[in-house]
Structure formats: C-alpha cells, structure tokens
Amino acid sequence: MDEEYDCIVLGTGLKECILSGMLSVSGKKVLHVDRNKYYGGESASITPLQELFQKFGVKEPDEKEHGRGRDWNVDLVPKFLMANGLLVKLLIHTGVTRYLEFKSVEGSYVYKGGKIYKVPVDQKEALSSDLMGIFEKRRFRNFLIFVQDFQENDPKTWKDVDPQRMSAYQLYTKFGLDKNTQDFTGHALALYLNDDYVNEPAANLIRRIKLYSDSLARYGKSPYLYPLYGLGELPQGFARLSAIYGGTYMLNTPVDEIVFEGSSVVGIKSGGVVAKCKQVFCDPSYIKERVKKTGQVIRCICLLNHPIPNTRDALSTQIIIPQNQVNRKSDIYVSLVSNTHQVSAQGWFIAMVSSKVETSNPELEIKPGLDLLGSIKQKFVSISDYYEPIDDGKDSKLFISKSYDATSHFETTCLDVLDIYKRATGEEFDFSKIKLESEDV
C-alpha cells in the first residue's frame, strides 16, 4: 500500500466503483479501499434475509414462512436502470455487462387522484389511457408525435418551436396540455424530481421523454431493467473492470486519515502507513467536515406475499406519485421486485417506498405509497441524511460524491458520477477509450 497512485478511491458504493472503473480504463493507477469487508456501502444487497432482520433489530424470520434466507438479496437503496440510460451505456461500453445478467421490469405506473395508471408513452397508449379525457388524449398524442419526430440537429423537425428559447412550460402551453398531463409527463416520463424544470429550456424535457421512449422500445414492457440477484452485483462488476485495468482493491482496511499538504490532498493513512496520490475520491462518510447536510431521505422496505394491487399482477414494477398529487414538494417513489429477479424466495415480493423528508413525521409522508401496496407482512423503515460536498474539489483534489437520493432509478446517480469525473480530469469521459474484448478477460 505504501506506493504512489494517481487516484485513491474510498468506499465501494456504486458511485465509487463506477469511478474506479472509469479512472482505471482511462489509464490511471488506482487504489480502491473500503473500511467494510463487503462491497456496496450504502448500495449493498443484504443476504441472507436474517441479516436484514438483525440490521433493523427485528425478531428473526421464520424459514417455514419466508423460505430459505439465502434466497433473498434485499437492496438497501434499490434503483432501476433506464434501458437506454447513462448507466447501461457505461455498463455496455466498459464491458461490465459480461459479469451481470439483467431482466426487464414489467410495469411503469403513475399515480393520479388516489389510483394508479400505466404510463402512456406512444400515440396508441395516449388514445387508450384512462389518465385523460377524450380531448386531452388527442392533445397529448400530438405532443408525443412532435417529441418522437423531433431531431435536435435538424431544425426542420422543430415545427416553430425553438427548443433552447422556449421553456418546458411554454411547450406544454403550445400543445394545450392540462396540469395533470404536465404532472405525469414531467415526473413519470421525464423523471424530474420537482417542478423547477418548467422554466428550463424545452430541449431538456424533450431529451428526457425521448430517453424514456427509446428505453421502452428496447424491451417493450417498461423502460427499466434490474440485475438478477440485486444491485449488489453492480459495484462488484465495476470492481472487476478496475482490476482488469490494473486497479488494486483492499477491503476491510481502516482509513485513519485523508492526508493534506496545505489545502491539497496528498494521500491517505491506514494503520500507520501512508499511500500517496494526486487525487482522492470518496463518499460523504469518509470526511464529514467537507460535506453539508441538505436534507433527509426516508426509505421503507416492505416484504409482501402478493403483487401490488392494480398492476396486472406484475412481478416487478415502478410507481411514481407526482408531488402535486399529494400536496408535496417532492415525489414519492414505489418499486417492486421479486423472485423473477432472484432477490426473494418463491411467492414473496420486496417493495420499497421512498421520498425526500419534508416534515417531522416522515412515515406519514409516504403513506400514499404504502397504501398502494395492500397488506404488508414486514416493514423496515430507515431515515438517511442527504449530504453534498461543500466545494467542487478542484483545488483540494478531493472529490466527494453526493448521497443517494430518493429516486427509484439511476439517472441522477450517473449524472453525479460523470460530473465528478469531468471535474477531476477536466474532460468528459471518452467511451471510445474502452476497447475491452472478451478474450482480454
């Protein structure tokens, strides 16, 4: 360990493992350290089931009822992957897909007026959806046709819309879309976290809706994918990638100190040994004095012995509850996975309800999501602080990731990773650097 490295990465959460893989692939000499003896950090999968019950201080499960403990892989921060999104592109371009197997998620729903509806994404679904009245269906269909035909580099397809000058709100108004339609379009199709986006250029909204529909087109049932055996496989896949490109891994290694000279990082100290480096990457838990708390996230893991009602018995699904539907400032997210993804015993389902905390009674805040689940066999509630770095790291050479947010998809996670990479290297990640063929492994 007492060598010199280009980069030292602390923590094996998904963000840190992706960065480690990207940096190794880009030719950097990387040392990757975790104080835990397991991969994943906050984004770990818990197995067997007994460990989950122990973690939350709950009486151990009965194998007769819950099946074999080792058949369960319960993600602490479950998130779905957009089939055509940034993380899948990273996985494919970096060759990590050879270590993992994915399966599509069956359903994508949105909440309106106490009920859930399938998210309409094409002209046919727009006309048959119960989300809208007959005239609104036609307006929404015209909007979708415009978005599908829109090509950013071909002004002929813009149809007197200037995507950079016109705001998202003005685009909605141009097509006459009502508030409910704007709600599910912005939150369930474009996956915005709040309504700030309506004042941004319409181009951003159009891009996001195209990503959703392109992702849906790849597999058909929904735009989302989930790895078999849970998300715990993802960090390990990127860790293997880093190792192939010369990265060094050390689990179960205490980090006593991040060492500075003046205002810049020069290494880390572990057990009296200093490993020198030019840059350090870490999650917020490794240096609390360099991050600020900007909120909290509530997550409720629920074990069910049935699918979520009104989802056509889907074995996996996502439901988004837009903020305005429940008088909140942030959305509520519901995800469901099951034995079809090898994460639970036969006949069991794992639901997660999550949101940003807004009051002193967080569990009451997510009640609209919990009420959708039907009878719940066991609940595990956690409230996590949400941290962000206090600076961009360019001067200190210390690059800290943000905590995981409440969303049930990975797009925000990837944006953070790519932003850190750009700040640290001064350049966008070049996917063409990766020429990993199967015979190299």
Side-chain angles (χ1 to χ4, degrees):
M1 181 170 161
D2 54 348
E3 293 180 46
E4 187 149 348
Y5 299 87
D6 294 315
C7 310
I8 296 178
V9 180
L10 306 178
T12 54
L14 182 61
K15 290 184 184 182
E16 284 66 41
C17 285
I18 295 174
L19 279 164
S20 177
M22 288 165 73
L23 292 163
S24 299
V25 159
S26 301
K28 308 283 187 193
K29 185 179 179 185
V30 176
L31 171 66
H32 200 149
V33 175
D34 196 317
R35 60 167 89 91
N36 297 313
K37 57 186 179 194
Y38 57 84
Y39 283 99
E42 250 191 286
S43 48
S45 296
I46 302 291
T47 187
L49 185 62
Q50 289 79 352
E51 277 196 25
L52 180 72
F53 279 67
Q54 286 163 13
K55 182 177 174 61
F56 285 89
V58 177
K59 187 181 164 207
E60 290 216 3
D62 178 3
E63 276 215 359
K64 283 183 189 163
E65 186 183 6
H66 292 87
R68 291 187 311 178
R70 64 178 178 275
D71 287 343
W72 293 76
N73 289 281
V74 181
D75 290 319
L76 297 178
V77 184
K79 287 179 184 281
F80 293 151
L81 291 81
M82 213 53 157
N84 217 31
L86 291 167
L87 183 52
V88 170
K89 284 178 180 167
L90 269 174
L91 287 165
I92 291 167
H93 283 292
T94 52
V96 172
T97 40
R98 78 185 44 151
Y99 311 121
L100 301 164
E101 211 176 320
F102 291 89
K103 201 167 181 183
S104 62
V105 171
E106 287 182 23
S108 178
Y109 290 82
V110 65
Y111 177 100
K112 178 194 165 193
K115 293 183 180 174
I116 59 171
Y117 301 85
K118 187 177 185 304
V119 177
V121 77
D122 60 26
Q123 303 157 36
K124 189 178 166 193
E125 287 187 354
L127 290 176
S128 62
S129 174
D130 293 333
L131 264 172
M132 300 161 281
I134 187 159
F135 296 113
E136 185 68 7
K137 284 178 182 179
R138 287 179 184 163
R139 289 190 285 268
F140 183 58
R141 176 178 171 272
N142 292 337
F143 173 77
L144 282 181
I145 291 170
F146 164 75
V147 170
Q148 281 160 3
D149 291 345
F150 181 91
Q151 299 295 327
E152 208 160 338
N153 54 4
D154 182 3
K156 290 194 199 99
T157 66
W158 296 1
K159 300 188 179 154
D160 40 281
V161 168
D162 186 327
Q164 293 303 334
R165 288 192 180 171
M166 184 180 271
S167 69
Y169 177 73
Q170 288 168 325
L171 183 64
Y172 285 147
T173 306
K174 177 179 168 63
F175 282 90
L177 302 185
D178 69 21
K179 192 73 189 79
N180 274 323
T181 307
Q182 293 176 30
D183 245 11
F184 77 72
T185 302
H187 293 262
L189 279 172
L191 302 179
Y192 281 108
L193 308 187
N194 54 45
D195 280 346
D196 295 350
Y197 78 94
V198 296
N199 300 313
E200 293 174 6
N204 298 343
L205 173 67
I206 294 167
R207 264 184 232 121
R208 282 171 170 250
I209 297 171
K210 285 177 90 70
L211 168 62
Y212 188 102
S213 57
D214 291 349
S215 296
L216 183 73
R218 288 188 72 168
Y219 298 103
K221 289 183 179 175
S222 87
Y224 302 109
L225 302 173
Y226 200 68
L228 293 188
Y229 308 104
L231 292 178
E233 299 295 300
L234 275 174
Q236 294 186 57
F238 278 102
R240 290 187 195 111
L241 174 77
S242 176
I244 286 168
Y245 278 89
T248 303
Y249 271 77
M250 297 179 73
L251 294 179
N252 206 13
T253 302
V255 177
D256 305 324
E257 185 188 345
I258 296 176
V259 183
F260 289 83
E261 261 180 28
S263 60
S264 294
V265 158
V266 292
I268 65 155
K269 186 186 274 187
S270 174
V273 178
V274 173
K276 292 186 174 178
C277 65
K278 296 169 189 146
Q279 294 176 318
V280 168
F281 299 78
C282 66
D283 70 50
S285 70
Y286 280 87
I287 187 155
K288 286 285 178 73
E289 65 271 23
R290 295 285 182 127
V291 294
K292 60 187 176 191
K293 179 180 163 185
T294 58
Q296 288 184 307
V297 175
I298 178 167
R299 295 185 177 91
C300 182
I301 299 168
C302 302
L303 306 187
L304 316 176
N305 59 1
H306 56 82
I308 296 175
N310 306 310
T311 60
R312 302 175 190 172
D313 289 340
L315 300 176
S316 56
T317 193
Q318 174 179 259
I319 305 166
I320 291 178
I321 304 178
Q323 54 182 53
N324 294 325
Q325 294 293 325
V326 282
N327 298 316
R328 289 174 52 75
K329 297 188 188 100
S330 41
D331 296 353
I332 299 171
Y333 299 89
V334 180
S335 62
L336 181 86
V337 286
S338 66
N339 180 253
T340 190
H341 285 94
Q342 309 290 332
V343 293
S344 66
Q346 193 72 38
W348 283 89
F349 299 79
I350 305 167
M352 170 69 90
V353 183
S354 58
S355 191
K356 197 172 175 180
V357 173
E358 296 178 5
T359 70
S360 57
N361 190 347
E363 209 169 329
L364 187 63
E365 292 182 51
I366 60 169
K367 187 174 183 298
L370 294 171
D371 288 348
L372 295 174
L373 301 182
S375 63
I376 299 169
K377 283 297 203 180
Q378 185 68 52
K379 267 193 317 193
F380 306 94
V381 179
S382 66
I383 294 166
S384 318
D385 291 336
Y386 185 86
Y387 293 104
E388 295 182 24
I390 56 174
D391 59 51
D392 63 11
K394 287 179 182 174
D395 293 331
S396 63
K397 308 300 179 196
L398 173 64
F399 300 94
I400 307 169
S401 61
K402 297 174 185 174
S403 302
Y404 294 93
D405 63 21
T407 60
S408 49
H409 54 80
F410 264 120
E411 292 309 288
T412 49
T413 300
C414 292
L415 291 172
D416 190 28
V417 167
L418 292 171
D419 183 48
I420 291 170
Y421 183 87
K422 187 179 177 182
R423 291 199 313 266
T425 64
E427 56 188 40
E428 306 278 356
F429 182 62
D430 180 3
F431 289 112
S432 68
K433 282 183 180 169
I434 303 149
K435 299 270 193 282
L436 189 66
E437 302 298 336
S438 53
E439 57 266 24
D440 295 338
V441 182

